[in-house]
Amino acid sequence: MDTEAQHTERDRSSRPSGTGDTPESEAREDRSRFAFATGITARVPGGRYSLTLLLVLVCTLLLTMFAARPFEIPSGSMEPALRIGDRVLVNKLAYRFDAGPRRGDVVVFDGTGNFGHADYIKRVVGVGGDHVVCCDKEGRIQVNGRPVDESAFLYPGDRPSSVRFDVVVPDGRLFVLGDHRSASSDSRDHLGSPGGGMIPVDAVIGRADAVVWPAGHWTRLHRPDAYARVPAPDGAHG
């Protein structure tokens, strides 16, 4: 009788698997988790809605700090692709794991010490080692001896440049121009300044990948094919 009674008590404390019953310890743990979440919500004014908004803001802040940030176009220097008031999404990780900006990329950079105490957005025309010349007999900009057809993105009616130049871009620097050449202050305007109008790669905040506002102007920003035909500078490898 004693043995049978002990067996029955053991059965009561250990339920067979698959019964679907929740052990009391697990139930207590679930209640504790629920109570913890409820306690946090109760402490936040506005309850769960305010907490959700707070979490969204924190995630947005982290995204802005480390991955991407919006940038509002302040002038018409990048028309027609980017208009005044457009907001573009700047990819801050675009060059973190590769060789850096490439010809044709639209980049946002800190102009302090080169252009002015502000952030600017321009198109990369030359990278370190490139020989950039304006202009050939047909009025086109040449990079490493190859003329670049900029008609796909240049502002209608604009010449590639009314300023003549013949420069070699130092390593670690970029030669940048606006697409609306007649309304852009860019590397051409700082040729006689320290750095020769070429911005340090380290000053680049990121690559502009898309217009995200206004909704009717949403578009991806692609690297023009014209720059893909430019050969590597003399003495470069790969």
Side-chain angles (χ1 to χ4, degrees), residues 17 21 32 50 83 92 100 112 162 164 181 217:
S17 61
D21 294 335
S32 297
S50 295
R83 304 174 301 193
K92 297 172 69 173
T112 302
S162 59
R164 292 192 171 273
R181 300 287 158 82
H217 196 208

Side-chain angles (χ1 to χ4, degrees), residues 43-149:
R43 291 186 179 92
V44 178
R48 69 176 64 182
Y49 299 105
S50 295
L51 182 61
T52 300
L53 179 60
L54 179 62
L55 291 174
V56 169
L57 290 175
V58 170
C59 290
T60 301
L61 178 62
L62 292 174
L63 182 67
T64 300
M65 288 175 61
F66 300 107
R69 58 164 279 192
F71 178 82
E72 184 174 354
I73 303 302
S75 72
S77 69
M78 285 298 293
E79 291 176 334
L82 304 176
R83 304 174 301 193
I84 297 174
D86 280 355
R87 286 172 175 80
V88 297
L89 189 64
V90 180
N91 183 353
K92 297 172 69 173
L93 300 179
Y95 307 122
R96 187 68 58 87
F97 307 108
D98 66 13
R102 297 167 60 183
R103 304 179 200 97
D105 285 351
V106 175
V107 297
V108 173
F109 59 92
D110 179 2
T112 302
N114 297 279
F115 282 43
H117 296 283
D119 293 343
Y120 295 81
I121 183 165
K122 303 293 177 187
R123 190 179 298 279
V124 177
V125 173
V127 298
D130 281 348
H131 183 198
V132 187
V133 178
C134 178
C135 293
D136 67 5
K137 294 181 179 179
E138 296 182 25
R140 299 170 298 182
I141 286 177
Q142 287 186 334
V143 183
N144 300 333
R146 177 69 60 88
V148 179
D149 181 5

Side-chain angles (χ1 to χ4, degrees), residues 29-49:
E29 185 177 351
D30 290 341
R31 286 196 297 270
S32 297
R33 291 173 181 167
F34 179 76
F36 178 72
T38 303
I40 293 178
T41 303
R43 291 186 179 92
V44 178
R48 69 176 64 182
Y49 299 105

Side-chain angles (χ1 to χ4, degrees), residues 3 106 137 177-178 188 191 197 213:
T3 304
V106 175
K137 294 181 179 179
L177 299 176
R188 299 169 300 168
L191 293 173
W213 187 263

